[in-house]
């Protein structure tokens, strides 16, 4: 499934001129899976390739990059380049731009804060399972070579130990200074960390991380009436500026900065940035508030500042019916099966389910699911798909020549049944093993999003040799392990 390059397309043209459209023989000589030679010939056989990129082609390619197009779309727009050529050229241009940006910092000296962040990121990624110097380079705005050389220098001198593991005397000095400052105040309050930093000779962030004095800290429990986004944004801003991803936040420093108990800071941070989980206690609380006459929006504000009104409505109104719905009986299953067998092939596919539901008056969710399963997996529809040229259909749909619904209407089969057959075909045509080049193209596509939404279909077109499901699974795997 390796994408065809310029040399491969030249060889393909020679084989087509020699053997005609004997695709089985051409696939064998090219060493490709069946259908790959025909697919590439239909898509790119008319293009006359050149070795060097012209100025006009580069100008069109940069326009495609500005518009957020992938390699396949850029290939269609340029008209004289393969998708793999366009993708590789995009990756080269982006890497060159990043290198030029990093070279701006090559003459600047490393500071103690930069050394601390370098060592902390190196240790964090090492615990996660692998060192990604590209991630470190991007976070520190320095080249990969500069980060490597600086880390080796820090490891070879005694200062590395002092930077990564503070000396036992430093926490004591910071704690003593904070304690003295709190005693001088009439009422306990926030600490002047600039004064502590000046007295101890450490940076303010180091003082925040090393201080062990917790007396007099305030509490912070979520309450709809007293909650303030000013405090929440202040905490989030401190974490983002001092502990950018993938660095883990030091909530000891967060607690000292906010002068709020550490457990309360962790709880509020999870409430703001974590996924809201519906527990039995929260469900009971939502139902109780709804029974008191509160609107769904007010209930959402009582539970969390980030939960939506639709989520509360679903839990209060639909969750109980979904949990207590009885299963379908054997008699009802048989009735549905008999009617489906009677109507399939006699009436169009878009009328079968509607007629069965109307005649049997199906209301419960389990009966509707059984009806869909019987229609989607009916032998008559499977036979129609087997008799059709699924390879040709897949190619036409992939190239955008025809819509999936149009093909399903022409064959008189359910759209979901045809979609599943095409997905199985695409999974069969693509290898399950990822090569470094494919991972690099997927990483390049994610970098081009610039914070936008990840689209599995566009990612599949960008990679060119993996299905949209494979691209989605690989993206979430790399994201989970901090490699993307």
């Amino acid at each position: 499934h390796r994408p065809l390059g310029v040399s491969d397309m030249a060889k393909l043209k020679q084989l087509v001129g020699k053997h005609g459209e004997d695709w089985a023989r051409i696939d064998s000589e090219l060493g490709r899976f069946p259908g790959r030679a025909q697919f590439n010939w239909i898509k790119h056989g008319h293009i006359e390739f050149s070795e060097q990129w012209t100025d006009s082609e580069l100008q069109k390619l940069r326009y495609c990059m500005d518009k957020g197009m992938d390699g396949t779309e850029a290939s269609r727009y340029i008209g004289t380049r393969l998708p793999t050529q366009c993708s590789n050229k995009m990756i080269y241009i982006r890497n060159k731009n990043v290198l030029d940006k990093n070279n701006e910092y090559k003459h600047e000296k490393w500071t103690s804060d930069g050394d601390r962040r370098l060592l902390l990121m190196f240790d964090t990624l090492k615990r996660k399972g692998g060192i990604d110097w590209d991630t470190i380079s991007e976070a520190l705005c320095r080249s990969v070579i500069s980060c490597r050389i600086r880390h080796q220098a820090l490891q070879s001198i005694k200062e590395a130990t002092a930077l990564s593991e503070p000396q036992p005397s430093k926490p004591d000095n910071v704690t003593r200074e904070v304690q003295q400052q709190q005693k001088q105040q009439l009422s306990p309050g926030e600490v002047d960390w600039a004064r502590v930093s000046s007295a101890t000779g450490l940076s303010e962030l180091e003082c925040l991380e090393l201080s062990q004095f917790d007396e007099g800290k305030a509490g912070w429990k979520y309450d709809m009436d007293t909650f303030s986004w000013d405090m929440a944004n202040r905490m989030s801003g401190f974490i983002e500026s001092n502990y950018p991803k993938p660095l883990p936040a030091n909530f000891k420093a967060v607690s000292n900065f906010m002068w709020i108990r550490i457990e309360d800071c962790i709880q509020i941070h999870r409430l703001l940035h974590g996924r809201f989980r519906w527990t039995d206690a929260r469900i009971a609380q939502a139902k109780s508030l709804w029974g008191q006459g509160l609107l769904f929006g007010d209930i959402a504000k009582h539970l969390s500042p980030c939960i939506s009104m639709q989520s509360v409505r679903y839990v209060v109104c639909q969750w109980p019916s979904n949990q207590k719905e009885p299963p379908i009986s054997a008699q009802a299953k048989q009735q549905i099966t008999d009617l489906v067998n009677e109507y399939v092939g006699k009436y169009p596919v878009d009328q079968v389910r509607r007629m069965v539901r109307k005649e049997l008056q199906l209301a419960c969710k389990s009966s509707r699911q059984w009806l869909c399963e019987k229609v989607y997996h009916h032998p008559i529809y499977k036979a129609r798909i087997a008799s059709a040229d699924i390879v040709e259909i897949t190619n036409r749909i992939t190239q955008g020549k025809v819509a999936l619904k149009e093909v399903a209407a022409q064959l008189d089969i359910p759209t979901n049944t045809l979609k599943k057959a095409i997905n199985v075909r695409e999974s069969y045509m693509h290898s399950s093993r990822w090569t470094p080049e494919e991972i690099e193209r997927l990483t390049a596509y994610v970098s081009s999003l610039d914070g936008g939404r990840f689209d599995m279909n566009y990612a599949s077109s960008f990679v060119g040799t993996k299905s949209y499901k494979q691209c989605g699974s690989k993206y979430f795997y790399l994201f989970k392990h901090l490699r993307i």
Side-chain angles (χ1 to χ4, degrees):
H1 296 295
R2 179 173 49 83
L4 269 67
V6 177
S7 59
D8 296 327
M9 287 300 300
K11 186 177 180 181
L12 176 60
K13 289 185 177 182
Q14 294 177 0
L15 293 175
V16 172
K18 182 179 180 182
H19 304 302
E21 295 190 0
D22 189 357
W23 299 114
R25 185 173 182 180
I26 294 175
D27 285 325
S28 176
E29 294 191 17
L30 279 178
R32 301 283 174 167
F33 279 102
R36 297 299 295 172
Q38 182 182 8
F39 173 79
N40 284 273
W41 179 255
I42 293 173
K43 197 169 184 180
H44 309 295
H46 64 283
I47 299 177
E48 294 294 336
F49 304 102
S50 59
E51 295 294 334
Q52 300 294 332
W53 283 75
T54 63
D55 295 338
S56 176
E57 290 174 337
L58 290 175
Q59 184 177 2
K60 292 180 180 179
L61 182 67
R62 289 191 173 90
Y63 173 79
C64 295
M65 294 175 65
D66 295 337
K67 295 297 182 181
M69 299 183 185
D70 56 13
T72 303
E73 294 174 333
S75 174
R76 295 197 197 103
Y77 180 76
I78 297 173
T80 57
R81 292 291 170 180
L82 292 172
T84 54
Q85 292 178 297
C86 296
S87 300
N88 293 335
K89 197 66 175 178
M90 288 178 177
I91 294 172
Y92 172 79
I93 293 175
R94 291 192 184 98
N95 290 342
K96 187 176 182 300
N97 293 337
V98 173
L99 183 61
D100 294 340
K101 179 181 178 181
N102 290 337
N103 286 338
E104 298 175 2
Y105 301 90
K106 65 181 181 180
H107 298 298
E108 293 186 6
K109 294 183 179 180
W110 284 81
T111 62
S112 59
D113 184 64
D115 293 339
R116 183 190 63 82
R117 294 181 62 190
L118 173 62
L119 292 172
L120 187 56
M121 289 191 68
F122 183 87
D123 295 339
T124 302
L125 294 175
K126 186 176 181 180
R127 289 195 301 268
K128 294 291 183 180
I131 306 301
D132 189 353
W133 287 104
D134 292 333
T135 302
I136 299 176
S137 171
E138 184 178 355
L140 299 179
C141 295
R142 295 182 181 271
S143 65
V144 174
I145 298 177
S146 177
C147 295
R148 284 177 174 270
I149 294 176
R150 185 60 181 177
H151 183 265
Q152 292 176 358
L154 292 175
Q155 293 296 331
S156 63
I157 59 177
K158 296 181 180 180
E159 295 178 0
T161 305
L163 289 170
S164 59
E165 298 180 3
Q167 299 178 1
S169 59
K170 291 183 179 180
D172 297 338
N173 295 335
V174 174
T175 303
R176 184 167 50 253
E177 182 64 28
V178 173
Q179 188 174 6
Q180 292 177 357
Q181 188 179 136
Q182 288 293 305
K183 288 181 178 179
Q184 295 174 1
Q185 298 180 4
L186 297 178
S187 60
E190 296 187 6
V191 179
D192 185 358
W193 293 104
R195 175 181 167 187
V196 176
S197 172
S198 177
T200 57
L202 303 173
S203 65
E204 292 188 23
L205 184 59
E206 288 179 315
C207 294
L208 288 167
E209 293 176 345
L210 297 177
S211 176
Q212 303 296 326
F213 187 76
D214 292 332
E215 296 180 9
K217 286 187 177 180
W220 194 10
K221 300 296 182 183
Y222 175 72
D223 184 83
M224 181 183 69
D225 299 327
T226 60
F227 179 77
S228 172
W229 277 105
D230 294 337
M231 292 182 60
N233 293 334
R234 183 188 177 202
M235 182 177 69
S236 300
F238 175 79
I239 294 175
E240 292 175 0
S241 60
N242 293 281
Y243 303 99
K245 292 182 179 180
L247 292 179
N250 187 331
F251 279 96
K252 187 66 178 177
V254 175
S255 173
N256 290 326
F257 175 77
M258 300 293 296
W259 204 247
I260 293 173
R261 291 192 295 265
I262 184 171
E263 58 272 10
D264 293 344
C265 292
I266 295 174
Q267 182 180 1
I268 295 296
H269 184 267
R270 288 175 178 173
L271 195 64
L272 295 174
H273 301 279
R275 182 181 177 183
F276 187 85
R277 298 187 180 276
W278 284 101
T279 61
D280 294 338
R282 286 174 173 172
I283 294 174
Q285 183 182 2
K287 292 180 180 179
S288 175
L289 294 173
W290 185 61
Q292 297 174 14
L294 270 70
L295 300 176
F296 293 121
D298 295 334
I299 297 175
K301 293 180 181 179
H302 272 281
L303 297 176
S304 170
C306 301
I307 191 174
S308 64
M309 179 179 63
Q310 290 78 8
S311 178
V312 177
R313 180 187 289 111
Y314 172 78
V315 169
V316 173
C317 299
Q318 300 182 15
W319 193 308
S321 60
N322 293 341
Q323 298 293 327
K324 299 179 181 179
E325 186 171 357
I328 185 173
S329 63
Q331 182 180 0
K333 288 182 179 180
Q334 189 61 39
Q335 291 178 351
I336 295 173
T337 304
D338 294 340
L339 280 180
V340 170
N341 293 333
E342 180 182 351
Y343 292 157
V344 171
K346 185 177 179 182
Y347 298 98
V349 63
D350 57 345
Q351 299 181 11
V352 173
R353 286 192 301 164
R354 185 165 59 251
M355 295 174 63
V356 174
R357 291 178 61 178
K358 184 177 180 180
E359 183 169 346
L360 297 180
Q361 296 181 356
L362 303 179
C364 63
K365 183 179 179 181
S366 57
S367 61
R368 295 196 300 268
Q369 289 177 346
W370 179 262
L371 172 60
C372 294
E373 182 179 352
K374 286 300 174 183
V375 173
Y376 293 157
H377 299 86
H378 200 276
I380 292 180
Y381 296 143
K382 290 185 176 180
R384 291 177 182 175
I385 292 179
S387 61
D389 189 355
I390 192 66
V391 177
E392 177 65 21
I393 292 173
T394 303
N395 293 339
R396 292 174 63 194
I397 294 175
T398 305
Q399 296 171 12
K401 296 181 179 179
V402 66
L404 181 67
K405 292 184 178 180
E406 295 180 10
V407 179
Q410 294 173 2
L411 299 176
D412 193 22
I413 58 176
T415 305
N416 290 349
T417 305
L418 178 60
K419 185 177 181 180
K420 183 177 180 181
I422 292 175
N423 292 339
V424 171
R425 172 67 185 174
E426 289 184 350
S427 300
Y428 168 75
M429 294 176 62
H430 298 302
S431 172
S432 60
R433 186 177 296 276
W434 282 75
T435 63
E437 293 78 10
E438 292 170 338
I439 296 176
E440 185 177 0
R441 289 197 294 271
L442 179 63
T443 306
Y445 166 71
V446 176
S447 300
S448 66
L449 296 177
D450 193 20
R453 185 177 66 88
F454 179 82
D455 192 312
M456 294 190 294
N457 292 318
Y458 280 110
S460 177
S461 301
F462 193 92
V463 176
T465 55
K466 289 290 183 286
S467 65
Y468 75 98
K469 288 187 177 180
Q470 290 174 315
C471 292
S473 300
K474 193 65 175 179
Y475 166 74
F476 288 114
Y477 172 80
L478 295 175
F479 182 81
K480 179 180 179 181
H481 292 80
L482 302 177
R483 300 179 184 178
I484 198 169

